[in-house]
Amino acid sequence: MGGVGAAALAASASAKGLGAQKTGELHPFGFVIHGGAGTIERSRMTPERERAYREKLSEALLAGHEVLKKGGGCLDAVVAAIILLEDSPLFNAGKGAVFTNAGTNELDSSIMEGRTLKAGAVAGLKRIKNPILLARAVMEQSPHVMMTGEGAETFAVQKGFELVDPKYFYTEERWQQLQKAKEAEKSPPPKQSRLEKELRAYDEHKYGTVGAVALDRAGNIGAGTSTGGMTNKRFGRVGDSPIIGAGTYADNETCGVSCTGDGEYFIRASVAHEVSARMRYAGEAIERAAAGALEKAEKLGGTGGLIALDRRGNFAMPFNTSGMYRGVVGPDGKPRVSIYKD
Ligand code: ASP
């Protein structure tokens, strides 16, 4: 089987997702990415903005594909794509990260290698341009899995990372989102329908977390996630993205996963690990496992989505919001990007 068609991708990426698709059988390497889930609707999108998202997601898919095609490692592909998305102001990661209540940007990221179950994570960074690189350094160059705040930045300097001026992360759009969120906080919400709640959450938080999962030619799976978290967060709040098993997970025997959405619920439902556990212990196929794991968060009240890729190149991209920026590329090298449910 060759690469999947756009229609197949859309089908597999629906809220409940039906029928896993294959990214290829001969050399089953594949690459999937997301750029956040939320209330993303055609009616609220300008053609220019949509084009910009599609272009950047395609570029990120191709960056990962380029690595995998040449026989490069899954983590190199994950990092190549996530750096591009972190550097783009379109996404809530790196440049373009949302603001905290204090008017700062605090970045979280994690990465995991499915062959060794090694992992690295960082949280609450204020001066690291590409948090995914530091997460990888924590994994590969320290005995630890997770570092936070100033300690993580001290480690970064020791490893040769440059610290950027926190102003680097400023974007006017995210700043205005913070002002709106603060305004909205002043008036408590009336009783809301699910959609209203979702719209409000989107307006307040503006999802846009990024993530990638790669299956390389050696059959290894790697996954990574990077985010600015939630607009208006305070008290050093940390979401699911840097938590191994919640926002990110990879195991060569099952799959790789990267999540996006209301972090608190994804933590409580251990969503990323749940996908892997369902495959391992219940023998579920990736599509079912991914939908089931998301449902677990949904039952608690969480909205969002995830991308998952198994060792054969089957993938699933369920989400329970109106949209999720997402894409897949298989051995044919043709990036397929989707945004909306249909
Ligand atoms: N999951 C992220 C967090 O809770 C936010 C997102 O995915 O948009 O920090």
Side-chain angles (χ1 to χ4, degrees):
M1 191 190 286
V4 299
L9 170 63
S12 95
S14 70
K16 298 291 170 219
L18 293 167
Q21 306 301 322
K22 289 207 165 198
T23 52
E25 261 174 7
L26 273 182
H27 300 282
F29 69 99
F31 192 53
V32 289
I33 62 171
H34 72 79
T39 308
I40 306 165
E41 285 165 359
R42 273 199 182 80
S43 57
R44 304 170 112 218
M45 185 79 90
T46 63
E48 296 74 41
R49 203 168 160 81
E50 177 166 339
R51 198 173 321 119
Y53 274 107
R54 287 185 181 279
E55 276 173 17
K56 191 46 82 175
L57 290 165
S58 298
E59 194 186 332
L61 282 168
L62 288 175
H65 179 262
E66 197 55 31
V67 172
L68 299 171
K69 189 178 73 179
K70 291 184 185 145
C74 53
L75 293 182
D76 290 338
V78 164
V79 166
I82 291 187
I83 285 178
L84 279 171
L85 301 174
E86 284 178 338
D87 290 348
S88 163
L90 292 172
F91 301 94
N92 173 18
K95 176 89 185 166
V98 298
F99 283 90
T100 67
N101 179 267
T104 57
N105 305 97
E106 294 180 8
L107 315 173
D108 307 331
S109 181
S110 63
I111 194 162
M112 184 159 183
E113 181 178 67
R115 184 175 65 85
T116 56
L117 301 188
K118 281 187 180 168
V122 283
L125 306 177
K126 291 186 175 154
R127 292 179 297 169
I128 302 294
K129 184 169 177 263
N130 293 112
I132 191 71
L133 286 176
L134 189 56
R136 188 172 186 179
V138 170
M139 180 178 97
E140 292 178 340
Q141 300 177 50
S142 91
H144 308 302
V145 168
M146 191 172 203
M147 295 185 189
T148 66
E150 281 176 24
E153 291 180 355
T154 302
F155 169 77
V157 171
Q158 277 183 17
K159 296 297 169 193
F161 280 72
E162 252 179 58
L163 297 182
V164 295
D165 186 326
K167 286 198 197 90
Y168 165 77
F169 299 105
Y170 183 93
T171 56
E172 184 59 24
E173 192 180 340
R174 297 300 190 194
W175 183 253
Q176 290 311 327
Q177 283 166 13
L178 173 66
Q179 308 318 313
K180 267 202 212 156
K182 286 188 165 182
E183 267 311 303
E185 230 176 24
K186 287 185 196 152
S187 51
K191 213 169 177 300
Q192 291 172 322
S193 70
R194 187 196 150 108
L195 180 64
E196 283 166 345
K197 194 175 149 240
E198 198 182 300
L199 281 166
R200 185 182 159 90
Y202 177 65
D203 283 339
E204 284 169 18
H205 306 308
K206 297 283 179 192
Y207 300 153
T209 292
V210 305
V213 185
L215 167 69
D216 65 27
R217 288 194 131 146
N220 293 316
I221 300 174
T225 309
S226 186
T227 189
M230 296 284 214
T231 296
N232 205 20
K233 65 183 180 182
R234 56 188 110 191
F235 312 123
R237 179 267 185 193
V238 175
D240 60 315
S241 307
I243 297 181
I244 297 301
T248 303
Y249 199 71
D251 183 343
N252 269 10
E253 289 182 21
T254 53
C255 64
V257 182
S258 172
C259 302
T260 173
D262 302 318
E264 281 66 14
Y265 300 95
F266 281 69
I267 294 172
R268 289 165 57 201
S270 303
V271 173
H273 183 263
E274 177 79 3
V275 181
S276 169
R278 281 172 172 263
M279 292 180 72
R280 181 188 287 274
Y281 302 119
E284 289 182 359
I286 196 154
E287 191 90 20
R288 182 128 184 251
L294 181 61
E295 241 170 69
K296 193 174 167 197
E298 185 173 339
K299 275 190 191 138
L300 303 174
T303 60
L306 64 92
I307 55 171
L309 177 65
D310 76 11
R311 61 200 169 119
R312 294 198 179 81
N314 302 307
F315 67 91
M317 299 178 162
F319 54 94
N320 63 14
T321 49
S322 54
M324 178 165 83
Y325 298 108
R326 61 199 186 275
V328 57
V329 63
D332 68 0
K334 288 194 192 123
R336 276 124 190 155
V337 169
S338 298
I339 299 178
Y340 314 106
K341 212 169 240 174
D342 44 23

